[in-house]
Amino acid sequence: MSNPHIGVLALQGDVREHLAALDGAGATARPVRRAEELAAVHGLVIPGGESTTMYKLAHVFGLLEPLRERVREGLPAYGSCAGMIMLADKILDPRSGQETIGGIDMIVRRNAFGRQNESFEAALDVTGVAGGPVQGVFIRAPWVESTGADVETLARIDGHPVAVRQGNLLATSFHPELTGDHRVHGLFTAMVRAAH
Ligand code: GLN
């Protein structure tokens, strides 16, 4: 497929930036707010933002189960930061009642980098992304505490995975949508193309 349609879950978070990055990576990007829109895309990005709010809105708008179902069926999905949290099978320190979509066999720690280091940037070598390091922007970012056997770690900081892939699912602790470098979205777009 040369022109995949990729949705961005548009309940909360930096939706516009992901739409622009997908566009820059050669996909046709559109916001997804309803189950019918979710049914019509070939892949889905879950943006950065606040995972507790995103969970609540997904629940209230009746999107949580459709999201879980589509991911279970194999829909390619990419989550950045809060989106990584949403794709984790388990989170270590959920706000009370907070649930995820799940799909990646990993345990994620929210706000893992701590107060003193709440926001920072780091150049990262990301497996599968050619052309030199990716500038990782970390904003109250999670890290991956542990992964199951089927999860490939693509990048680490201080030993902690900050980019992972399991099959059609991709997640990063950082925000490539904020840098103007579209290579991570390019990797995801290639995953969507390969899946269809
Ligand atoms: N700390 C946020 C959360 O728990 C994630 C922050 C982000 O997406 N920049 O959802």
Side-chain angles (χ1 to χ4, degrees):
M1 155 181 312
S2 61
N3 179 24
H5 289 203
I6 300 183
V8 179
L9 185 64
L11 299 173
Q12 190 267 340
D14 62 344
V15 175
R16 235 178 337 147
E17 290 80 356
H18 275 289
L19 290 170
L22 287 167
D23 205 53
T28 298
R30 48 169 77 152
V32 165
R33 289 190 191 84
R34 296 179 303 137
E36 305 86 85
E37 293 165 341
L38 179 63
V41 293
H42 304 118
L44 182 72
V45 168
I46 305 167
E50 176 50 53
S51 58
T52 54
T53 310
M54 226 180 275
Y55 156 68
K56 273 187 210 148
L57 293 173
H59 178 65
V60 166
F61 290 117
L63 265 182
L64 198 59
E65 280 314 318
L67 284 164
R68 285 175 173 158
E69 200 174 298
R70 286 231 64 197
V71 167
R72 257 197 313 268
E73 287 167 0
L75 179 74
Y78 163 46
S80 72
C81 202
M84 167 187 260
I85 296 169
M86 294 299 287
L87 286 177
D89 278 351
K90 193 157 184 257
I91 42 183
L92 269 184
D93 47 359
R95 288 269 187 84
S96 80
Q98 181 180 2
E99 294 177 29
T100 68
I101 298 165
I104 301 183
D105 181 11
M106 63 179 173
I107 301 175
V108 163
R109 182 181 290 279
R110 295 177 53 234
N111 305 319
F113 289 96
R115 287 194 166 270
Q116 285 177 343
N117 219 354
E118 275 187 344
S119 297
F120 62 97
E121 295 193 21
L124 297 166
D125 287 316
V126 181
T127 304
V129 176
V134 169
Q135 192 65 11
V137 177
F138 293 80
I139 305 167
R140 291 184 304 113
W143 72 40
V144 178
E145 194 79 20
S146 65
T147 55
D150 295 336
V151 180
E152 183 189 4
T153 294
L154 307 179
R156 294 176 193 269
I157 288 190
D158 296 338
H160 300 287
V162 292
V164 294
R165 177 175 178 178
Q166 180 178 357
N168 285 335
L169 304 177
L170 177 71
T172 63
S173 301
F174 51 94
H175 293 271
E177 72 278 14
L178 299 180
T179 61
D181 176 350
H182 302 139
R183 286 178 294 159
V184 173
H185 290 78
L187 168 64
F188 180 59
T189 302
M191 286 166 58
V192 175
R193 283 201 184 101
H196 286 88

